[in-house]
Amino acid sequence: MAKSDIKFLASPQFGTQQKKYCRFKKAGIKYIDYKDPNYLIKFLNEQGKIMPRRHSGNSLKFQRRVATAIKRARHIALLPYVTDLLK
Amino acid sequence: MIKQYETVFIFTPVLSDSEVKKATQEYQSFLKDGGGSIVAEDLWGMRQLAYPIAKKTTGIYYVLEHMVDGTIIDKLEIKAKRDPNVLRFLTVKLDKHAIKYNDMKRKGEISQFKHKNKASEEADKTEDNG
């Protein structure tokens, strides 16, 4: 069997990853409000931990700002430090 | 140097409405005495805390935006620390983006702007509110 036939046994999209992007850069958001826990909850996992950049796709600049906002929100008890079943 | 700051206070839930008002007035007048000015204030009211602080599960949130000299901030924080009515506080320096954001939020422009990328169900929610 020729190599070209084997290629079509799997979906053409198989193995190709979608390019991640920073949602803040895309939407033009400059400031992340620490007083809005419903927005910040998107960057937390079920235990209330901050998601890594490889999951959220944030640029370094905005990942830092997200992390700061979450830490501030935790201090004023809008978000928990440790929990289970946050979502 | 005068800069714009934002302070969040969490008052104990045992305070009555008039006592909360008195406490907020106290902090406002303290800042004004120090040569500052109040940009905006926002009393959120009673809110569930994400975790208990000093064995309290609820707190009264109060957000105060002010323009004041940095040396006054130290005094404000000492004052808040010694105040038994304040469970917790947080003072943050606002940069130009934050000032713009807060301005837009006060005018009610922000809910659509910020949640542009959110799921449709949340977009419906903001429309209901507005």
Side-chain angles (χ1 to χ4, degrees):
Chain A
M1 202 187 274
K3 223 177 186 180
S4 58
D5 294 331
I6 300 170
K7 201 169 75 183
F8 294 107
L9 291 176
S11 157
Q13 258 100 50
F14 181 80
T16 59
Q17 283 186 322
Q18 271 218 323
K19 182 84 178 144
K20 282 178 196 162
Y21 60 89
C22 178
R23 65 173 88 195
F24 298 103
K25 276 187 174 174
K26 203 177 184 189
I29 296 170
K30 298 270 174 58
Y31 175 69
I32 299 155
D33 191 10
Y34 65 94
K35 301 187 295 303
D36 186 0
N38 294 331
Y39 185 74
L40 295 174
I41 215 163
K42 290 196 272 188
F43 302 100
L44 299 174
N45 71 3
E46 282 191 351
Q47 293 170 295
K49 292 180 171 182
I50 301 172
M51 272 186 194
R53 284 174 65 204
R54 64 172 179 270
H55 281 262
S56 58
N58 290 341
S59 65
L60 178 57
K61 187 179 185 179
F62 286 102
Q63 178 72 9
R64 255 189 265 120
R65 289 182 188 181
V66 167
T68 315
I70 288 170
K71 286 168 188 173
R72 282 172 179 174
R74 281 173 181 165
H75 179 74
I76 55 171
L78 295 177
L79 288 175
Y81 278 100
V82 280
T83 186
D84 271 326
L85 302 171
L86 182 66
K87 289 179 184 171
Chain B
M1 197 180 155
I2 288 186
K3 279 179 183 159
Q4 192 157 335
Y5 297 90
E6 182 179 68
T7 308
V8 182
F9 294 101
I10 307 176
F11 293 112
T12 55
V14 294
L15 298 183
S16 66
D17 284 355
S18 57
E19 281 172 320
V20 171
K21 202 168 182 183
K22 200 178 147 196
T24 58
Q25 288 297 329
E26 197 186 321
Y27 282 100
Q28 284 193 29
S29 56
F30 176 80
L31 289 168
K32 279 174 190 160
D33 290 346
S37 59
I38 309 298
V39 177
E41 60 160 340
D42 188 9
L43 186 63
W44 293 7
M46 196 83 91
R47 213 191 125 96
Q48 189 82 29
L49 301 176
Y51 52 89
I53 301 173
K55 291 173 187 169
K56 308 280 195 305
T57 52
T58 54
I60 298 161
Y61 280 74
Y62 178 62
V63 183
L64 189 61
E65 256 186 83
H66 47 88
M67 300 264 276
V68 78
D69 190 83
T71 53
I72 304 297
I73 295 293
D74 294 344
K75 288 172 189 162
L76 177 78
E77 297 205 321
I78 289 169
K79 187 180 162 66
K81 213 177 253 180
R82 287 175 182 168
D83 191 342
N85 291 334
V86 176
L87 289 181
R88 197 156 283 188
F89 61 92
L90 175 71
T91 306
V92 170
K93 190 175 82 186
L94 299 179
D95 61 7
K96 59 182 178 184
H97 302 307
I99 292 167
K100 198 177 163 195
Y101 174 87
N102 283 351
D103 261 359
M104 286 170 81
K105 199 177 177 185
R106 246 172 272 132
K107 288 176 198 155
E109 295 168 3
I110 211 77
S111 56
Q112 294 86 14
F113 174 78
K114 181 102 189 189
H115 303 306
K116 206 162 60 179
N117 286 9
K118 273 195 167 183
S120 58
E121 54 180 77
E122 275 161 354
D124 293 342
K125 217 187 280 171
T126 51
E127 277 168 21
D128 291 348
N129 293 339

